Amino acid sequence: RFRLNVRWKFITQRAVSVAWCASDGQGGGGSAQFPWDKVRLPRHVVPLHYHLLIHPNLTTLTFTGTVDIDVAVAQPTKAVVLHGKRLRVTGAAIEAGAGNPCAARDVRLLWHPPREQLALLSAEPLCAGHNYTLRIQYSANLSDSFHGFYKSTYRTQEGELRVLASTHFEPTSARMAFPCFDEPAFKARFSIKIRREPNHLALSNMPLVKSVNIASWLVEDHFDTSVKMSTYLVAFIVSDFKSISKITNHGVKISIYTVPEKINQAHYALDAAVKLLDFYEDYFSIPYPLPKQDLAAIPDFQSGAMENWGLTTYRESALLYDPEKSSASSRLWITMTIAHELAHQWFGNLVTMEWWNDLWLNEGFAKFMELLSVNVTHPELRVEDYFLRRCFDAMEVDALNSSHPVSTPVEDPAQILEMFDEVSYEKGSCILNMLRDFLTADVFKSGLVQYLQKYSYQNTKNEDLWDSLTNICPTVGTEKSELQGDGFCRRNQQSSSNAHWTKETLDVKAMMDTWTLQKGFPLVTVTVRGKNVHLQQEHYKKGVDSLSPTENGYLWHIPLTYITSKSHTVQRFLMRTKTDVIILPEEVEWVKFNVDMNGYYIVHYEDDGWDRLINLLRENHTVISSNDRASLINNIFQLVRIKKLSISKAFDLTLYMKRETQIMPILQGMNELVPIYKLMERRDMDDTEKQLKDYIVNLFKDLIDKQLWSDEGSVSERMLRQSLLMFACVRRYQPCVDKAEEYFSKWQKSNGTLRLPADVKTAVYIVGAQTSEGWDFLLSKYQHHSFSVDKDKIASALSLTRNKDKLQWLMEEGLRGDIIKTQDFPYIIVSVARNPSGYHLAWTFLRENWEKLIEKFELGSSSIAGIVTGVTNQYSTRPQLAQVKEFFSSLEEKSAQLRCIQQAIETIEDNIEWMDRYFEEIKTWLQKNQP
């Protein structure tokens, strides 16, 4: 093949047709009409192999590149259309391979910036069935945002600012680093070379093969050729990182890379990654296909982490752990993040969704595999305790009219980015968990392995997964199943409750289509009449038109599970119709559906069904599991939202919580009660607000008083301690405040050298930040390198001051990105918005800086969505709603149509209706039930 030399001279020879084209990357490239009019690229030119040479300059913050793309042409065409964004192309050519009769002539370059496409046009058509090489030379600026090939910085302990360059391409930013066919189905191999200064280190997806000294000040690193993969998984970093390494049982070299001064915080992640990669290789029965897996902590990083094949990248707080200083929640988060990215090496990297409409096949799976893998590799973390919370979080969004099906059509980059939301991730993982529970673990695993083996190095759609899971026979309990000639399973089941399954076809696709192709989730209403349990399903919907009659079309195949007062053996029943009946062997005191909340649906108990369950909780709450208790707390408040129950009934249920000690129900109780208190706080309803606060504090008071101010106990106990103490101190519960003040003053006197227990730090910092002097002291520690693992906790405390000038300064500083990293800005502005002294400031700041935020975080990103909903979701007055509507409708169309804006407006409308309906009733209930 014809290789490029450094000066990129063009040589013309018989098989090579060359044309110089220069373009600024944003301009037109002549007046000729662009040859393609769709967002998706044409399919008749397919990339086979990219040869990429990239040379970043960390002083001028620019880079140059040359890319040779070997392509196969399937039909005659004069145009090759691919992606490019903010690149200045200085030369482009199409080279025909030896023996190819059709040379390209007079190649011209055209751009279509709105669609981020460029086209190479040849005067003569390229021949079908032949291969060509596209050769493009270009330059660009390192990106100022968090995507593409971007600049990141950090300060050394001496205060020196150091610069590095790193990539983040998912979903559509590889085109900012090199011209490419930037869609997940265009898989190809990549051979990458990187030029760097001798004092830097370059990393990429594959191991380094050799380094060539080009000049005394320049080294060229050659990396091995990759496996066949999508462009969004390509990665490279040029930095001065240090690393530590270990080899897994299967012989893969795992390394953690960090800035030099933090390498001592990499040991926990290294051990976790080794265990997890070994787990996945065994579970999937498919070897990890690369020789190495690097995990790099990047000082500036927008999301939590990214699964680039062989070079996963993380924000520092998602990878670095200090056993002396980090909290239990930090350990859990780091382990789950690593588990997520390593699961992607199979789900996403080896087998990739065809297009972004099925993003959940990547993200829902990786999220679900966190649960499966960490349960085995780190049982002490009790990861199943937190899985449930996800399903509740997903339902919160999925109940809105602005929700979308798990699998939903998307076209342009902003729509694609919007797919990275609770529905793709959390709901995706919850419906997979439900399916696994339904099919049984073994059947589910066999189906997954079959799916991964069948589609390795390929792209898939929703139905490919269901097909792989359909032709495997589940065995439920001891009943036999047999595979019929049509490839479906029949179940022979005797138990009366399962009568509806006998001789029925188990069609996984038909069942799962009801969960992935329609938005929302079902509400199952249970009415017990003697031994008969009557069931009815409907679409659960919050909001003004929640009872609209047009919803008849919504029907789910619901794998119901239940236990009763007479039997704790889990019974199963697949409900496929609008109504159904189960006949119990005998009459029962109570029945609880959706055992351990494994199903993605909520349950309403008609007549005295709720009273019986409330009674059960009062008399002996441990008869049912802590997950079952958490789900009752969640469900009852969701039923209040759609007027199925009174708020008094929900508050009656919470009374039992005085005796609750488990993390899941307690966090769920707080999750339901605190937002109600916050809504009142926003309306300045002083008396009732205070009564409600006192009621909540009193519910948990005994448990708060029992907490040790130390780091003792299991991970769950430690995380509960952190939540309870933080809750108590923020609500100014005096014993908590006194203790925290005492700790803070000792810590301040020691100039921060006194070691505070990791799990009580947040509470101590929050109380300390309430004085001006304490706040300034915390800010000075925030900037000190020895407090790097505490930055999030300190930021949280700084944002809870009542001083408005300090809150304003925090937001401005967060956006400027010098003292506070811009990556942490979304967290800062939402914290300020949750502060009663800050919510006006946060809204004003969002409005005045909207354009800057979009530029930094990208239209459609989950960062923008988090800011929009986080700043507005506690509004509950009509003037606030009018302000929000007015501002967002004044924006240009692309912004105004964002889903997060619809969610924000719906949430405020829901809050208004909620307060109008229930405020007086809560007031009365609290007066009756005053402690």
Side-chain angles (χ1 to χ4, degrees):
R1 266 175 13 122
F2 169 63
R3 305 289 299 157
L4 299 175
N5 71 9
V6 184
R7 287 180 301 284
W8 231 70
K9 282 188 176 151
F10 282 97
I11 341 165
T12 309
Q13 59 192 56
R14 190 184 64 78
V16 182
S17 104
V18 168
W20 269 106
C21 322
S23 160
D24 64 358
Q26 297 305 308
S31 58
Q33 194 180 357
F34 196 78
W36 186 247
D37 62 355
K38 296 179 176 62
V39 176
R40 301 275 296 270
L41 297 179
R43 317 295 294 170
H44 51 262
V45 177
V46 177
L48 306 170
H49 198 140
Y50 292 78
H51 302 266
L52 176 65
L53 168 65
I54 206 131
H55 180 183
N57 183 325
L58 300 186
T59 311
T60 58
L61 304 180
T62 56
F63 64 97
T64 55
T66 61
V67 66
D68 279 17
I69 312 173
D70 300 337
V71 298
V73 175
Q75 65 187 58
T77 179
K78 288 185 177 181
V80 178
V81 182
L82 65 167
H83 288 109
K85 182 180 177 182
R86 296 185 193 155
L87 303 175
R88 292 177 290 276
V89 171
T90 50
I94 300 175
E95 175 191 327
N100 183 340
C102 319
R105 280 218 328 270
D106 308 329
V107 173
R108 287 183 307 145
L109 181 75
L110 293 180
W111 281 94
H112 194 295
R115 286 202 292 270
E116 302 174 356
Q117 291 171 355
L118 70 153
L120 300 187
L121 259 61
S122 163
E124 296 296 325
L126 309 183
C127 287
H130 287 277
N131 291 359
Y132 292 82
T133 300
L134 316 178
R135 328 180 64 191
I136 303 172
Q137 181 187 29
Y138 62 98
S139 65
N141 295 335
L142 284 173
S143 166
D144 239 351
S145 60
F146 300 97
H147 42 277
F149 192 20
Y150 70 93
K151 172 194 86 166
S152 173
T153 59
Y154 72 95
R155 284 193 188 278
T156 63
Q157 290 179 9
E158 290 69 47
E160 179 202 344
L161 189 72
R162 296 209 178 154
V163 179
L164 59 127
S166 181
T167 57
H168 184 105
F169 293 159
E170 190 182 31
T172 60
S173 295
R175 63 192 68 170
M176 293 172 72
F178 56 100
C180 56
F181 296 78
D182 201 7
E183 293 180 9
F186 287 114
K187 289 191 171 184
R189 293 175 178 275
F190 294 83
S191 299
I192 295 177
K193 296 177 186 174
I194 299 177
R195 292 188 176 171
R196 58 170 174 90
E197 292 175 22
N199 58 330
H200 282 132
L201 162 87
L203 296 170
S204 186
N205 305 79
M206 298 301 288
L208 183 66
V209 178
K210 64 173 178 180
S211 297
V212 181
N213 292 322
I214 290 196
S216 61
W217 48 271
L218 194 62
V219 180
E220 184 174 283
D221 288 331
H222 296 214
F223 295 91
D224 213 344
T225 298
S226 76
V227 293
K228 203 172 151 194
M229 65 184 195
S230 305
T231 47
Y232 77 87
L233 294 169
V234 173
F236 33 88
I237 302 171
V238 176
S239 69
D240 63 348
F241 286 176
K242 293 272 179 283
S243 67
I244 54 171
S245 308
K246 273 189 180 172
I247 308 285
T248 68
N249 290 339
H250 293 273
V252 179
K253 182 181 180 184
I254 299 212
S255 307
I256 312 284
Y257 285 85
T258 81
V259 303
E261 287 159 8
K262 294 182 181 174
I263 194 66
N264 59 336
Q265 297 170 21
H267 295 277
Y268 178 78
L270 181 60
D271 291 340
V274 167
K275 276 186 183 173
L276 284 158
L277 200 73
D278 274 334
F279 168 84
Y280 286 132
E281 288 208 56
D282 293 336
Y283 183 88
F284 294 133
S285 313
I286 297 174
Y288 173 73
L290 311 186
K292 61 95 175 176
Q293 169 67 245
D294 298 334
L295 297 81
I298 312 296
D300 298 274
F301 201 86
Q302 185 171 345
S303 58
M306 176 62 208
E307 67 265 23
N308 319 302
W309 215 344
L311 174 54
T312 52
T313 47
Y314 301 75
R315 65 165 53 205
E316 291 184 333
S317 59
L319 198 65
L320 305 183
Y321 181 82
D322 182 332
E324 287 297 301
K325 297 177 180 172
S326 297
S327 61
S329 54
S330 161
R331 189 161 100 212
L332 177 74
W333 190 47
I334 290 167
T335 316
M336 289 172 80
T337 307
I338 295 171
H340 182 102
E341 302 315 327
L342 295 186
H344 271 311
Q345 308 302 300
W346 286 264
F347 274 102
N349 301 11
L350 183 66
V351 179
T352 313
M353 73 266 136
E354 173 92 16
W355 180 245
W356 301 104
N357 60 315
D358 279 329
L359 173 70
W360 85 277
L361 285 175
N362 277 18
E363 296 303 348
F365 256 106
K367 210 78 188 141
F368 168 72
M369 290 309 298
E370 291 172 26
L371 171 74
L372 225 59
S373 60
V374 177
N375 239 333
V376 174
T377 59
H378 298 77
E380 74 286 356
L381 293 179
R382 290 195 54 80
V383 62
E384 65 279 6
D385 281 354
Y386 315 100
F387 190 79
L388 253 199
R389 280 298 300 281
R390 289 183 178 168
C391 306
F392 297 148
D393 291 346
M395 285 173 158
E396 183 84 9
V397 173
D398 205 17
L400 297 170
N401 199 32
S402 51
S403 186
H404 62 91
V406 167
S407 179
T408 207
V410 285
E411 280 274 295
D412 65 57
Q415 290 172 342
I416 292 168
L417 267 176
E418 283 195 294
M419 287 298 283
F420 290 76
D421 68 354
E422 289 88 345
V423 174
S424 297
Y425 283 68
E426 275 76 7
K427 179 177 179 175
S429 66
C430 294
I431 61 176
L432 287 169
N433 186 47
M434 172 171 73
L435 181 60
R436 176 173 178 259
D437 183 60
F438 171 66
L439 291 177
T440 71
D442 290 349
V443 171
F444 184 75
K445 178 177 167 177
S446 313
L448 291 195
V449 170
Q450 189 173 306
Y451 168 78
L452 289 171
Q453 286 174 340
K454 182 173 180 183
Y455 295 107
S456 289
Y457 304 104
Q458 297 175 54
N459 295 78
T460 57
K461 300 185 181 71
N462 231 344
E463 51 265 30
D464 298 324
L465 175 63
W466 308 143
D467 291 346
S468 298
L469 284 161
T470 293
N471 299 335
I472 291 169
C473 269
T475 51
V476 176
T478 54
E479 295 114 17
K480 295 188 182 69
S481 300
E482 53 198 277
L483 192 60
Q484 301 293 319
D486 58 5
F488 285 126
C489 286
R490 303 277 191 270
R491 300 195 175 187
N492 313 320
Q493 293 178 327
Q494 304 315 313
S495 90
S496 62
S497 67
N498 288 337
H500 284 70
W501 268 358
T502 316
K503 299 264 185 302
E504 287 236 16
T505 296
L506 176 63
D507 183 346
V508 175
K509 181 181 183 302
M511 172 178 156
M512 293 310 290
D513 279 353
T514 70
W515 297 96
T516 58
L517 302 182
Q518 55 188 0
K519 69 181 178 188
F521 54 89
L523 161 65
V524 176
T525 301
V526 173
T527 314
V528 180
R529 298 253 185 282
K531 289 197 284 191
N532 289 3
V533 181
H534 295 263
L535 305 169
Q536 180 185 343
Q537 62 160 300
E538 65 195 283
H539 183 187
Y540 176 94
K541 263 175 75 182
K542 279 200 286 213
V544 193
D545 58 347
S546 55
L547 300 170
S548 68
T550 53
E551 286 292 323
N552 300 338
Y554 278 73
L555 190 70
W556 283 265
H557 291 192
I558 313 172
L560 298 174
T561 54
Y562 61 95
I563 52 174
T564 68
S565 55
K566 296 281 170 71
S567 164
H568 270 236
T569 307
V570 179
Q571 300 295 322
R572 296 169 184 278
F573 180 78
L574 183 61
M575 182 177 184
R576 305 184 197 186
T577 47
K578 188 99 179 137
T579 57
D580 215 327
V581 183
I582 294 174
I583 300 157
L584 301 175
E586 54 188 321
E587 290 194 20
V588 295
E589 292 289 304
W590 52 264
V591 57
K592 161 75 175 74
F593 273 80
N594 201 355
V595 182
D596 283 337
M597 187 68 201
N598 273 327
Y600 189 75
Y601 58 94
I602 66 173
V603 185
H604 175 40
Y605 302 91
E606 277 282 17
D607 302 340
D608 63 349
W610 273 108
D611 293 334
R612 286 168 181 250
L613 289 165
I614 290 170
N615 210 31
L616 169 72
L617 291 175
R618 263 189 217 154
E619 285 172 9
N620 188 3
H621 64 278
T622 54
V623 169
I624 56 175
S625 71
S626 65
N627 273 1
D628 273 331
R629 302 195 298 270
S631 75
L632 287 175
I633 295 165
N634 168 274
N635 284 195
I636 201 164
F637 278 94
Q638 303 323 304
L639 291 164
V640 171
R641 276 209 179 269
I642 56 166
K643 315 175 196 57
K644 293 274 185 191
L645 285 174
S646 70
I647 188 72
S648 306
K649 186 72 78 194
F651 269 79
D652 287 345
L653 182 139
T654 63
L655 284 164
Y656 103 88
M657 295 192 74
K658 251 191 120 39
R659 292 186 309 286
E660 184 58 83
T661 57
Q662 295 299 303
I663 187 166
M664 277 309 299
I666 285 167
L667 291 185
Q668 197 53 43
M670 285 183 180
N671 227 31
E672 301 298 348
L673 292 168
V674 173
I676 299 175
Y677 162 74
K678 295 292 244 182
L679 288 179
M680 293 182 184
E681 194 177 59
R682 292 287 170 277
R683 285 191 175 194
D684 304 325
M685 297 170 155
D686 296 341
D687 294 350
T688 311
E689 176 194 321
K690 185 182 178 314
Q691 282 186 339
L692 179 55
K693 183 184 82 173
D694 291 345
Y695 172 71
I696 304 171
V697 170
N698 192 57
L699 263 192
F700 304 116
K701 175 179 166 315
D702 296 348
L703 202 54
I704 293 165
D705 293 342
K706 280 194 197 115
Q707 296 304 311
L708 301 171
W709 287 58
S710 72
D711 287 339
E712 289 167 35
S714 68
V715 172
S716 286
E717 286 164 346
R718 290 181 58 185
M719 287 181 62
L720 182 59
R721 174 186 303 135
Q722 188 178 345
S723 297
L724 283 170
L725 295 181
M726 187 175 150
F727 163 80
C729 280
V730 169
R731 305 285 165 256
R732 311 296 296 165
Y733 174 57
Q734 211 50 51
C736 182
V737 172
D738 294 344
K739 189 118 188 189
E741 276 175 350
E742 184 192 331
Y743 266 104
F744 189 80
S745 113
K746 284 181 186 164
W747 179 69
Q748 196 174 357
K749 283 199 184 86
S750 76
N751 195 23
T753 55
L754 175 79
R755 187 188 171 276
L756 292 172
D759 302 322
V760 308
K761 277 179 193 168
T762 313
V764 172
Y765 294 160
I766 284 169
V767 170
Q770 296 307 306
T771 68
S772 187
E773 181 202 0
W775 195 91
D776 294 342
F777 181 73
L778 277 164
L779 181 63
S780 72
K781 292 300 167 227
Y782 181 88
Q783 297 172 73
H784 197 274
H785 63 87
S786 64
F787 286 90
S788 63
V789 297
D790 283 349
K791 278 194 157 175
D792 292 349
K793 295 184 180 71
I794 297 175
S796 182
L798 294 175
S799 67
L800 285 169
T801 173
R802 281 170 274 190
N803 180 322
K804 294 189 174 174
D805 292 340
K806 287 186 178 339
L807 292 174
Q808 184 66 23
W809 181 90
L810 266 184
M811 292 188 291
E812 285 167 3
E813 202 39 65
L815 196 53
R816 190 177 310 124
D818 185 23
I819 294 174
I820 296 169
K821 290 261 184 202
T822 305
Q823 64 170 19
D824 299 323
F825 171 78
Y827 176 70
I828 298 277
I829 190 172
V830 171
S831 298
V832 171
R834 293 184 68 81
N835 178 341
S837 309
Y839 71 98
H840 291 306
L841 296 173
W843 170 241
T844 306
F845 194 88
L846 176 139
R847 283 190 318 205
E848 289 174 355
N849 295 281
W850 180 256
E851 290 305 320
K852 281 186 197 158
L853 294 176
I854 291 300
E855 201 176 313
K856 207 73 186 167
F857 295 109
E858 278 195 290
L859 198 66
S861 70
S862 57
S863 302
I864 292 291
I867 292 169
V868 170
T869 52
V871 168
T872 58
N873 65 9
Q874 289 168 347
Y875 289 173
S876 68
T877 67
R878 286 174 177 79
Q880 286 167 334
L881 176 64
Q883 267 189 23
V884 171
K885 279 184 162 172
E886 185 188 1
F887 170 67
F888 286 119
S889 61
S890 74
L891 299 174
E892 55 126 2
E893 190 184 19
K894 264 212 148 119
S895 286
Q897 287 178 342
L898 287 177
R899 188 180 290 126
C900 63
I901 292 169
Q902 308 314 313
Q903 286 172 348
I905 289 168
E906 271 192 80
T907 302
I908 301 169
E909 288 171 343
D910 192 43
N911 290 344
I912 292 171
E913 193 193 357
W914 201 96
M915 287 297 276
D916 290 351
R917 181 178 295 274
Y918 296 121
F919 177 68
E920 289 302 328
E921 193 183 337
I922 293 174
K923 196 167 161 180
T924 313
W925 190 93
L926 287 168
Q927 280 159 357
K928 269 194 214 142
N929 292 273
Q930 262 320 334

